[in-house]
Amino acid sequence: MPGAVFTFYSYKGGVGRSFTLANIAVLLARWGHRVLCLDWDLEAPGLADYFRDRLPRRPDGGVVDLVADFRQGRFAPETHALRLKDVGALDFIAAGREEDGYVGQVQEIDWEVLYEDGFGEYLDKCREQWAANYDFVLIDSRTGISDIGGICTAHLPDHLVVLFTANRQSIRGATDLARRADAARNLLPFDRARLTVLPVLSRFDNREEYDRSETWRRIVVDETAELYRTWLDQTVEPATMARHLTLPYVSYWSFGEQLPVLSEQTPSADQIGFALETVAAVIACRLDRTDLLAENRDAYVAAVRARRQEFRHDLRVSTPRPAFETATELVTELEARGVRAVKSLSGDRSLLARVEDDARHLCLVVDGKVSRWQAAEVELFLHRTLGQDRRVIPVLTPGTEPTALPGYVGNLRYLRLSGTRGPAEVARDLVAQLKGLTPLVEADDDVDLATLLGQARGARLRPSRWDLVDELVTALQPAVGAGDADRTRDLATDLAVAIKPRPPNGDTHLAAPVKLRRSIDWLLSILEARARTTTKPNHRKDLG
């Protein structure tokens, strides 16, 4: 998947735009993403000051040198990037050289003439290279209304992050700019999806004047509600999301250019790092799965943080006390086959206290029934699993009936212990599943889910029909994520019917909404990642 370009914009200065971008860039890089930051505030550059201590040297080129390269017929945007030290894969392109001649270099630029000469096409090639080499490209834009602002807010981004403070001038300036940018984007000679806008209330102080702060929260939601319409989950109220997208005013961090996310490793709810993590997680998800954020913020952020983490263990084996010895043998057999396994006993409360999980997959040893503790463990595991290749694999003891188990376990592929199949044989089959030799979602002779999703993505349907497709795709996400083969197959069959071409009957047929296309792309990426199978799928759920 190509990288996403986010422009950070504020109508007025003093809202903490560069501060927010710099800290979010560091968080994304620490979470394992490849990140590029560009200081496009050419008239008042300052992003470099946040990175000063981690730059290998002073910038000797930058954004303005892209113009010089264009005029000289040279294409090498990567030469202007500097890699920061000790924060992961975070590159930075400054506004330009830090020398006296920089001001004159900026003043000589005539953006209108440049675009007439083809600079727009040149810049689009830069954008393509950045999107190919990085997961996230973050652009620090000029405040107010300007030619540079138009480049940053209409031409380059996939998403626009607008920051504002609690006053009408700041709010309306930001929302008006978002509308103008979307309109200008439609006039571009480049293929771009509709611009999605992430409104962030910044420097908000609700500690001293609580009543006044709540009044202004309502004003903010009223003024920005339309910006959520193209991406916010239908089950989530804008007021709920607005609270998650609020950066508090903390006087300590208002002095100098600082990166609190480096010192607040596990921030509490009253620290600014906590709010910065939330906004960074929304960006990392590309504004998707906001229903999970509304339900459980900590689980949402932990799942995003862990998406590219290196797990200490390959598999956690959860067992009730009656099956303890069997689970111990199973862990021993798994370790003998090179699997880093760890055992958890029902009642291990330390699991609930951890912000992140330390095992990639979860194996449930089910003895007759799923215990309440195991049910909570599965729920916690799934909360932490957002867009990741992580599996829940039940192992049933002799006499355990899958039909009597709750659907979130009974519908999964399971392995069975028996008189002739002990921990050694089950461990062998578990290793096969973990290596991808057994597909998570069973194929169907009549319905190929990946093909079907591709057809849905390219279909043209009535708006009411798209509502139905959206419901089905939303239901498919947890089904595919949990490996619920039967549920996946049922939903796929319904989806095939929903997208079946029908006569127009005078109704308007539209392409898939942007948010739905993103959901389909997420599903396709999961199916692609899990299609590494070297054996023909076994159509029996009981693999033992």
Short mmCIF file of all heavy atoms in Angstrom, two decimals, residues 332-382:
data_model
loop_
_atom_site.label_atom_id
_atom_site.label_comp_id
_atom_site.label_asym_id
_atom_site.label_seq_id
_atom_site.Cartn_x
_atom_site.Cartn_y
_atom_site.Cartn_z
N THR A 332 5.85 -27.37 25.94
CA THR A 332 7.13 -28.05 25.77
C THR A 332 7.32 -28.55 24.34
O THR A 332 8.40 -28.40 23.75
CB THR A 332 7.23 -29.24 26.76
OG1 THR A 332 7.10 -28.75 28.10
CG2 THR A 332 8.55 -29.96 26.60
N GLU A 333 6.26 -29.13 23.77
CA GLU A 333 6.33 -29.63 22.40
C GLU A 333 6.51 -28.48 21.40
O GLU A 333 7.24 -28.60 20.41
CB GLU A 333 5.07 -30.44 22.06
CG GLU A 333 4.91 -31.73 22.84
CD GLU A 333 5.93 -32.79 22.39
OE1 GLU A 333 6.54 -32.61 21.32
OE2 GLU A 333 6.10 -33.79 23.11
N LEU A 334 5.85 -27.37 21.65
CA LEU A 334 5.97 -26.22 20.76
C LEU A 334 7.39 -25.66 20.79
O LEU A 334 7.97 -25.34 19.73
CB LEU A 334 4.96 -25.14 21.17
CG LEU A 334 3.50 -25.43 20.85
CD1 LEU A 334 2.59 -24.45 21.59
CD2 LEU A 334 3.24 -25.34 19.35
N GLU A 335 7.95 -25.55 21.98
CA GLU A 335 9.31 -25.03 22.10
C GLU A 335 10.31 -25.95 21.41
O GLU A 335 11.30 -25.48 20.83
CB GLU A 335 9.67 -24.85 23.57
CG GLU A 335 8.91 -23.71 24.24
CD GLU A 335 9.18 -23.61 25.72
OE1 GLU A 335 9.65 -24.62 26.31
OE2 GLU A 335 8.93 -22.53 26.30
N ALA A 336 10.06 -27.25 21.45
CA ALA A 336 10.94 -28.20 20.76
C ALA A 336 10.90 -28.00 19.25
O ALA A 336 11.84 -28.39 18.54
CB ALA A 336 10.54 -29.63 21.12
N ARG A 337 9.82 -27.40 18.75
CA ARG A 337 9.67 -27.14 17.31
C ARG A 337 10.03 -25.69 16.95
O ARG A 337 9.68 -25.21 15.87
CB ARG A 337 8.24 -27.46 16.87
CG ARG A 337 7.93 -28.95 16.87
CD ARG A 337 6.45 -29.23 16.74
NE ARG A 337 6.17 -30.65 16.51
CZ ARG A 337 6.20 -31.59 17.45
NH1 ARG A 337 6.49 -31.25 18.70
NH2 ARG A 337 5.95 -32.84 17.14
N GLY A 338 10.68 -25.01 17.87
CA GLY A 338 11.16 -23.67 17.57
C GLY A 338 10.16 -22.56 17.78
O GLY A 338 10.40 -21.42 17.37
N VAL A 339 9.02 -22.84 18.42
CA VAL A 339 8.01 -21.82 18.68
C VAL A 339 8.24 -21.22 20.07
O VAL A 339 8.37 -21.96 21.06
CB VAL A 339 6.58 -22.42 18.60
CG1 VAL A 339 5.54 -21.37 18.98
CG2 VAL A 339 6.31 -22.94 17.20
N ARG A 340 8.28 -19.92 20.14
CA ARG A 340 8.44 -19.24 21.44
C ARG A 340 7.06 -19.18 22.10
O ARG A 340 6.25 -18.31 21.78
CB ARG A 340 9.01 -17.84 21.24
CG ARG A 340 10.41 -17.80 20.65
CD ARG A 340 10.81 -16.38 20.31
NE ARG A 340 9.87 -15.79 19.35
CZ ARG A 340 9.82 -14.50 19.06
NH1 ARG A 340 10.63 -13.64 19.65
NH2 ARG A 340 8.94 -14.04 18.18
N ALA A 341 6.79 -20.12 22.98
CA ALA A 341 5.47 -20.24 23.59
C ALA A 341 5.54 -19.88 25.07
O ALA A 341 6.56 -20.08 25.73
CB ALA A 341 4.93 -21.66 23.41
N VAL A 342 4.43 -19.35 25.57
CA VAL A 342 4.32 -19.01 26.98
C VAL A 342 2.93 -19.42 27.45
O VAL A 342 1.96 -19.36 26.69
CB VAL A 342 4.56 -17.51 27.22
CG1 VAL A 342 3.51 -16.66 26.51
CG2 VAL A 342 4.59 -17.18 28.71
N LYS A 343 2.82 -19.86 28.68
CA LYS A 343 1.55 -20.36 29.21
C LYS A 343 0.91 -19.29 30.09
O LYS A 343 1.59 -18.58 30.84
CB LYS A 343 1.82 -21.64 30.00
CG LYS A 343 0.58 -22.32 30.53
CD LYS A 343 0.90 -23.73 30.99
CE LYS A 343 1.80 -23.76 32.21
NZ LYS A 343 3.23 -23.78 31.93
N SER A 344 -0.40 -19.13 29.99
CA SER A 344 -1.13 -18.26 30.91
C SER A 344 -2.24 -19.07 31.56
O SER A 344 -2.95 -19.82 30.89
CB SER A 344 -1.72 -17.04 30.18
OG SER A 344 -2.75 -17.43 29.30
N LEU A 345 -2.36 -18.92 32.86
CA LEU A 345 -3.35 -19.67 33.63
C LEU A 345 -4.53 -18.76 33.93
O LEU A 345 -4.35 -17.58 34.25
CB LEU A 345 -2.72 -20.17 34.93
CG LEU A 345 -3.55 -21.08 35.81
CD1 LEU A 345 -3.86 -22.39 35.09
CD2 LEU A 345 -2.79 -21.36 37.12
N SER A 346 -5.72 -19.27 33.80
CA SER A 346 -6.91 -18.49 34.10
C SER A 346 -6.78 -17.82 35.46
O SER A 346 -6.48 -18.48 36.46
CB SER A 346 -8.16 -19.37 34.09
OG SER A 346 -8.44 -19.80 32.77
N GLY A 347 -6.99 -16.51 35.49
CA GLY A 347 -6.84 -15.75 36.72
C GLY A 347 -5.56 -14.94 36.78
O GLY A 347 -5.30 -14.26 37.78
N ASP A 348 -4.74 -14.99 35.70
CA ASP A 348 -3.49 -14.23 35.67
C ASP A 348 -3.80 -12.76 35.40
O ASP A 348 -3.86 -12.31 34.27
CB ASP A 348 -2.57 -14.80 34.58
CG ASP A 348 -1.22 -14.10 34.55
OD1 ASP A 348 -1.00 -13.20 35.38
OD2 ASP A 348 -0.39 -14.45 33.69
N ARG A 349 -4.00 -12.00 36.47
CA ARG A 349 -4.46 -10.62 36.34
C ARG A 349 -3.40 -9.69 35.73
O ARG A 349 -3.73 -8.60 35.28
CB ARG A 349 -4.88 -10.08 37.70
CG ARG A 349 -6.08 -10.81 38.27
CD ARG A 349 -6.63 -10.14 39.51
NE ARG A 349 -7.82 -10.84 39.99
CZ ARG A 349 -9.04 -10.65 39.50
NH1 ARG A 349 -9.22 -9.77 38.53
NH2 ARG A 349 -10.07 -11.33 39.97
N SER A 350 -2.16 -10.11 35.69
CA SER A 350 -1.14 -9.25 35.09
C SER A 350 -1.40 -9.02 33.61
O SER A 350 -0.99 -8.01 33.05
CB SER A 350 0.25 -9.89 35.28
OG SER A 350 0.35 -11.10 34.54
N LEU A 351 -2.12 -9.95 32.97
CA LEU A 351 -2.43 -9.79 31.54
C LEU A 351 -3.31 -8.57 31.31
O LEU A 351 -3.16 -7.86 30.32
CB LEU A 351 -3.15 -11.03 31.01
CG LEU A 351 -2.31 -12.32 30.91
CD1 LEU A 351 -3.21 -13.47 30.48
CD2 LEU A 351 -1.17 -12.13 29.94
N LEU A 352 -4.25 -8.33 32.22
CA LEU A 352 -5.18 -7.23 32.04
C LEU A 352 -4.52 -5.88 32.30
O LEU A 352 -4.97 -4.86 31.77
CB LEU A 352 -6.38 -7.41 32.98
CG LEU A 352 -7.18 -8.70 32.80
CD1 LEU A 352 -8.36 -8.71 33.76
CD2 LEU A 352 -7.67 -8.84 31.36
N ALA A 353 -3.46 -5.89 33.09
CA ALA A 353 -2.81 -4.63 33.45
C ALA A 353 -1.86 -4.14 32.37
O ALA A 353 -1.49 -2.98 32.34
CB ALA A 353 -2.06 -4.79 34.77
N ARG A 354 -1.45 -5.04 31.48
CA ARG A 354 -0.48 -4.65 30.46
C ARG A 354 -1.13 -3.78 29.40
O ARG A 354 -2.23 -4.05 28.94
CB ARG A 354 0.10 -5.90 29.78
CG ARG A 354 0.93 -6.76 30.70
CD ARG A 354 1.36 -8.03 29.99
NE ARG A 354 1.95 -8.98 30.93
CZ ARG A 354 2.06 -10.28 30.69
NH1 ARG A 354 1.62 -10.78 29.56
NH2 ARG A 354 2.61 -11.07 31.59
N VAL A 355 -0.41 -2.74 29.00
CA VAL A 355 -0.90 -1.88 27.92
C VAL A 355 -0.80 -2.61 26.59
O VAL A 355 -1.65 -2.49 25.72
CB VAL A 355 -0.10 -0.56 27.88
CG1 VAL A 355 -0.53 0.29 26.69
CG2 VAL A 355 -0.29 0.20 29.18
N GLU A 356 0.28 -3.40 26.41
CA GLU A 356 0.50 -4.11 25.16
C GLU A 356 0.60 -5.60 25.43
O GLU A 356 0.94 -6.03 26.54
CB GLU A 356 1.79 -3.61 24.49
CG GLU A 356 1.75 -2.14 24.11
CD GLU A 356 3.08 -1.67 23.55
OE1 GLU A 356 4.03 -2.48 23.54
OE2 GLU A 356 3.17 -0.51 23.14
N ASP A 357 0.32 -6.38 24.41
CA ASP A 357 0.45 -7.83 24.50
C ASP A 357 1.88 -8.20 24.12
O ASP A 357 2.53 -7.49 23.36
CB ASP A 357 -0.55 -8.49 23.57
CG ASP A 357 -0.88 -9.90 24.00
OD1 ASP A 357 -0.16 -10.44 24.87
OD2 ASP A 357 -1.83 -10.48 23.45
N ASP A 358 2.37 -9.33 24.64
CA ASP A 358 3.73 -9.74 24.31
C ASP A 358 3.76 -11.04 23.52
O ASP A 358 4.82 -11.63 23.31
CB ASP A 358 4.59 -9.88 25.58
CG ASP A 358 4.04 -10.92 26.55
OD1 ASP A 358 2.98 -11.51 26.24
OD2 ASP A 358 4.67 -11.14 27.60
N ALA A 359 2.58 -11.52 23.06
CA ALA A 359 2.52 -12.72 22.23
C ALA A 359 1.71 -12.42 20.97
O ALA A 359 0.67 -11.77 21.04
CB ALA A 359 1.87 -13.87 23.01
N ARG A 360 2.21 -12.90 19.84
CA ARG A 360 1.54 -12.60 18.57
C ARG A 360 0.20 -13.33 18.44
O ARG A 360 -0.78 -12.76 18.00
CB ARG A 360 2.44 -12.95 17.39
CG ARG A 360 1.81 -12.64 16.04
CD ARG A 360 2.76 -12.89 14.90
NE ARG A 360 3.89 -11.98 14.93
CZ ARG A 360 3.86 -10.72 14.48
NH1 ARG A 360 2.74 -10.24 13.96
NH2 ARG A 360 4.92 -9.96 14.54
N HIS A 361 0.17 -14.59 18.80
CA HIS A 361 -1.05 -15.40 18.63
C HIS A 361 -1.52 -15.94 19.98
O HIS A 361 -0.75 -16.01 20.94
CB HIS A 361 -0.80 -16.55 17.65
CG HIS A 361 -0.26 -16.12 16.32
ND1 HIS A 361 -1.02 -15.42 15.41
CD2 HIS A 361 0.98 -16.26 15.76
CE1 HIS A 361 -0.28 -15.17 14.34
NE2 HIS A 361 0.92 -15.66 14.53
N LEU A 362 -2.79 -16.34 20.01
CA LEU A 362 -3.40 -16.86 21.23
C LEU A 362 -3.98 -18.24 20.97
O LEU A 362 -4.77 -18.43 20.04
CB LEU A 362 -4.51 -15.92 21.71
CG LEU A 362 -5.32 -16.38 22.93
CD1 LEU A 362 -4.43 -16.49 24.17
CD2 LEU A 362 -6.48 -15.41 23.19
N CYS A 363 -3.57 -19.22 21.78
CA CYS A 363 -4.12 -20.57 21.72
C CYS A 363 -4.97 -20.79 22.97
O CYS A 363 -4.48 -20.64 24.09
CB CYS A 363 -3.00 -21.60 21.65
SG CYS A 363 -3.55 -23.31 21.86
N LEU A 364 -6.23 -21.15 22.77
CA LEU A 364 -7.14 -21.42 23.90
C LEU A 364 -7.28 -22.92 24.09
O LEU A 364 -7.79 -23.61 23.20
CB LEU A 364 -8.52 -20.83 23.62
CG LEU A 364 -8.72 -19.32 23.70
CD1 LEU A 364 -10.18 -19.01 23.40
CD2 LEU A 364 -8.35 -18.78 25.06
N VAL A 365 -6.83 -23.43 25.19
CA VAL A 365 -7.10 -24.82 25.53
C VAL A 365 -8.47 -24.85 26.21
O VAL A 365 -8.63 -24.36 27.34
CB VAL A 365 -6.02 -25.40 26.45
CG1 VAL A 365 -6.37 -26.85 26.83
CG2 VAL A 365 -4.65 -25.34 25.78
N VAL A 366 -9.47 -25.39 25.52
CA VAL A 366 -10.85 -25.36 26.00
C VAL A 366 -11.20 -26.73 26.56
O VAL A 366 -11.19 -27.74 25.84
CB VAL A 366 -11.82 -24.97 24.86
CG1 VAL A 366 -13.25 -24.90 25.40
CG2 VAL A 366 -11.41 -23.66 24.22
N ASP A 367 -11.54 -26.74 27.83
CA ASP A 367 -11.89 -27.97 28.52
C ASP A 367 -13.36 -27.95 28.88
O ASP A 367 -13.76 -27.46 29.94
CB ASP A 367 -11.03 -28.12 29.77
CG ASP A 367 -11.25 -29.46 30.47
OD1 ASP A 367 -11.44 -30.46 29.75
OD2 ASP A 367 -11.22 -29.51 31.71
N GLY A 368 -14.20 -28.43 27.95
CA GLY A 368 -15.64 -28.48 28.19
C GLY A 368 -16.33 -27.18 27.85
O GLY A 368 -17.33 -27.16 27.14
N LYS A 369 -15.82 -26.07 28.34
CA LYS A 369 -16.42 -24.77 28.07
C LYS A 369 -15.34 -23.69 28.14
O LYS A 369 -14.26 -23.91 28.70
CB LYS A 369 -17.53 -24.46 29.08
CG LYS A 369 -17.04 -24.31 30.51
CD LYS A 369 -18.19 -23.97 31.45
CE LYS A 369 -17.66 -23.78 32.88
NZ LYS A 369 -18.75 -23.39 33.82
N VAL A 370 -15.66 -22.56 27.56
CA VAL A 370 -14.76 -21.42 27.64
C VAL A 370 -15.00 -20.74 28.99
O VAL A 370 -16.12 -20.32 29.29
CB VAL A 370 -15.02 -20.42 26.49
CG1 VAL A 370 -14.12 -19.20 26.63
CG2 VAL A 370 -14.79 -21.11 25.15
N SER A 371 -13.97 -20.64 29.79
CA SER A 371 -14.13 -20.01 31.10
C SER A 371 -14.36 -18.50 30.93
O SER A 371 -14.05 -17.92 29.90
CB SER A 371 -12.90 -20.25 31.96
OG SER A 371 -11.78 -19.51 31.45
N ARG A 372 -14.90 -17.89 31.98
CA ARG A 372 -15.11 -16.45 31.93
C ARG A 372 -13.78 -15.72 31.72
O ARG A 372 -13.71 -14.71 31.03
CB ARG A 372 -15.77 -15.97 33.21
CG ARG A 372 -17.22 -16.41 33.36
CD ARG A 372 -17.83 -15.81 34.63
NE ARG A 372 -19.22 -16.19 34.78
CZ ARG A 372 -20.00 -15.81 35.80
NH1 ARG A 372 -19.47 -15.04 36.76
NH2 ARG A 372 -21.25 -16.18 35.87
N TRP A 373 -12.75 -16.25 32.34
CA TRP A 373 -11.45 -15.61 32.20
C TRP A 373 -10.95 -15.71 30.76
O TRP A 373 -10.41 -14.75 30.20
CB TRP A 373 -10.45 -16.26 33.14
CG TRP A 373 -9.16 -15.48 33.16
CD1 TRP A 373 -8.04 -15.74 32.45
CD2 TRP A 373 -8.91 -14.30 33.90
NE1 TRP A 373 -7.08 -14.79 32.70
CE2 TRP A 373 -7.60 -13.90 33.59
CE3 TRP A 373 -9.67 -13.54 34.81
CZ2 TRP A 373 -7.01 -12.77 34.16
CZ3 TRP A 373 -9.08 -12.42 35.37
CH2 TRP A 373 -7.77 -12.04 35.04
N GLN A 374 -11.12 -16.86 30.15
CA GLN A 374 -10.68 -17.01 28.76
C GLN A 374 -11.50 -16.11 27.83
O GLN A 374 -10.97 -15.57 26.86
CB GLN A 374 -10.80 -18.48 28.33
CG GLN A 374 -9.73 -19.37 28.93
CD GLN A 374 -9.86 -20.80 28.47
OE1 GLN A 374 -10.96 -21.39 28.47
NE2 GLN A 374 -8.74 -21.40 28.07
N ALA A 375 -12.79 -15.96 28.13
CA ALA A 375 -13.61 -15.06 27.32
C ALA A 375 -13.07 -13.63 27.39
O ALA A 375 -12.98 -12.92 26.38
CB ALA A 375 -15.06 -15.11 27.79
N ALA A 376 -12.69 -13.21 28.61
CA ALA A 376 -12.12 -11.87 28.77
C ALA A 376 -10.78 -11.77 28.06
O ALA A 376 -10.43 -10.73 27.46
CB ALA A 376 -11.96 -11.54 30.24
N GLU A 377 -10.01 -12.86 28.09
CA GLU A 377 -8.69 -12.87 27.44
C GLU A 377 -8.84 -12.74 25.93
O GLU A 377 -8.08 -12.02 25.27
CB GLU A 377 -7.96 -14.16 27.81
CG GLU A 377 -6.47 -14.10 27.60
CD GLU A 377 -5.76 -15.30 28.21
OE1 GLU A 377 -6.44 -16.14 28.83
OE2 GLU A 377 -4.54 -15.38 28.06
N VAL A 378 -9.80 -13.45 25.36
CA VAL A 378 -10.04 -13.34 23.92
C VAL A 378 -10.48 -11.93 23.55
O VAL A 378 -10.01 -11.34 22.56
CB VAL A 378 -11.11 -14.36 23.47
CG1 VAL A 378 -11.52 -14.10 22.02
CG2 VAL A 378 -10.58 -15.77 23.62
N GLU A 379 -11.38 -11.36 24.35
CA GLU A 379 -11.86 -10.01 24.07
C GLU A 379 -10.70 -9.01 24.10
O GLU A 379 -10.58 -8.15 23.22
CB GLU A 379 -12.93 -9.60 25.08
CG GLU A 379 -13.50 -8.21 24.82
CD GLU A 379 -14.56 -7.82 25.83
OE1 GLU A 379 -14.82 -8.62 26.76
OE2 GLU A 379 -15.12 -6.72 25.70
N LEU A 380 -9.83 -9.13 25.10
CA LEU A 380 -8.68 -8.24 25.21
C LEU A 380 -7.75 -8.44 24.03
O LEU A 380 -7.23 -7.46 23.45
CB LEU A 380 -7.94 -8.51 26.52
CG LEU A 380 -6.75 -7.60 26.83
CD1 LEU A 380 -7.19 -6.15 26.93
CD2 LEU A 380 -6.07 -8.05 28.11
N PHE A 381 -7.52 -9.67 23.63
CA PHE A 381 -6.65 -9.97 22.49
C PHE A 381 -7.19 -9.33 21.21
O PHE A 381 -6.44 -8.71 20.45
CB PHE A 381 -6.53 -11.49 22.33
CG PHE A 381 -5.67 -11.91 21.16
CD1 PHE A 381 -4.30 -12.08 21.32
CD2 PHE A 381 -6.23 -12.14 19.91
CE1 PHE A 381 -3.51 -12.48 20.24
CE2 PHE A 381 -5.45 -12.53 18.84
CZ PHE A 381 -4.09 -12.71 19.01
N LEU A 382 -8.49 -9.49 20.97
CA LEU A 382 -9.08 -8.94 19.75
C LEU A 382 -9.07 -7.42 19.78
O LEU A 382 -8.93 -6.77 18.74
CB LEU A 382 -10.51 -9.46 19.57
CG LEU A 382 -10.61 -10.97 19.31
CD1 LEU A 382 -12.07 -11.40 19.22
CD2 LEU A 382 -9.86 -11.36 18.04
#
